[in-house]
């Protein structure tokens, strides 16, 4: 990957095998570690994050990721998951993650994406629309 000028990866939709992080540490690849949290099909978007019944599951997935991977130098940011809308469960997970590791930024595509939001969010430190059109990027 480095020979082809890649220097960063995103663990799309779930944390990867521990060996992947060891290799990224060794070869100097940056990683956005993403929680196992995606709720396609839960309409309206964000339904599960709004539902108090699922708050503990959101928190468990974020906690497991951060506790497992915290000592890998390759991880430069955490992700709250992908395409799950926005809601109180995401906010609770973000607050926990900020207290647990204040050294890394937190990103969440659904938190600031123009598709799911207004381009602004308290959920993410980085506005990162994954599916923006070329016209939107300009």
């Amino acid at each position: 990957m480095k020979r082809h000028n890649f220097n960063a990866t995103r663990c799309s939709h779930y944390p990867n095998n521990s060996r992947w992080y060891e290799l990224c540490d060794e070869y100097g690849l940056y990683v956005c570690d993403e929680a196992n949290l995606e709720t396609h099909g839960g309409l309206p978007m964000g339904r599960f994050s709004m539902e108090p019944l699922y708050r503990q599951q959101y928190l468990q997935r974020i906690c497991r990721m951060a506790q497992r991977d915290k000592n890998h130098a390759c991880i430069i940011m955490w992700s709250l998951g992908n395409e799950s809308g926005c809601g109180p469960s995401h906010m609770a997970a973000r607050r926990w993650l900020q207290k647990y590791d204040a050294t890394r930024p937190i990103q969440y595509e659904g938190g600031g994406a123009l598709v799911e939001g207004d381009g602004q969010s308290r959920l993410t430190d980085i506005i990162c629309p994954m599916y923006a059109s070329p016209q939107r990027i300009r």
Side-chain angles (χ1 to χ4, degrees):
M1 287 178 67
K2 294 289 264 189
R3 271 189 249 148
H4 295 287
N5 295 316
F6 286 91
N7 61 6
T9 68
R10 171 180 160 234
C11 297
S12 301
H13 312 331
Y14 49 84
N16 281 298
N17 186 289
S18 294
R19 181 68 178 132
W20 171 245
Y21 301 99
E22 293 167 6
L23 290 169
C24 289
D25 285 341
E26 182 178 341
Y27 291 103
L29 288 168
Y30 299 125
V31 174
C32 173
D33 205 12
E34 187 161 282
N36 179 14
L37 187 54
E38 182 166 359
T39 61
H40 274 118
L43 298 175
M45 184 65 91
R47 175 180 145 219
F48 297 113
S49 185
M50 301 297 262
E51 186 68 51
L53 177 66
Y54 297 104
R55 181 147 318 143
Q56 195 58 38
Q57 286 83 358
Y58 273 64
L59 287 167
Q60 285 174 347
R61 290 173 182 219
I62 303 287
C63 294
R64 278 194 312 250
M65 171 192 66
Q67 290 168 343
R68 182 190 88 156
D69 298 335
K70 66 184 176 216
N71 291 322
H72 286 286
C74 65
I75 296 171
I76 60 167
M77 71 180 88
W78 303 110
S79 170
L80 297 177
N82 186 59
E83 297 174 342
S84 303
C86 301
S89 294
H90 279 105
M91 286 304 297
R94 178 178 168 81
R95 282 191 299 273
W96 181 89
L97 197 49
Q98 284 174 313
K99 287 179 185 171
Y100 185 74
D101 180 4
T103 67
R104 294 177 174 110
I106 298 169
Q107 74 99 35
Y108 176 58
E109 186 266 337
L114 297 169
V115 173
E116 293 184 41
D118 60 4
Q120 301 177 24
S121 177
R122 293 173 298 153
L123 280 176
T124 187
D125 298 321
I126 301 162
I127 301 298
C128 51
M130 302 290 181
Y131 312 110
S133 68
Q135 293 78 19
R136 182 66 77 175
I137 292 171
R138 289 186 186 132

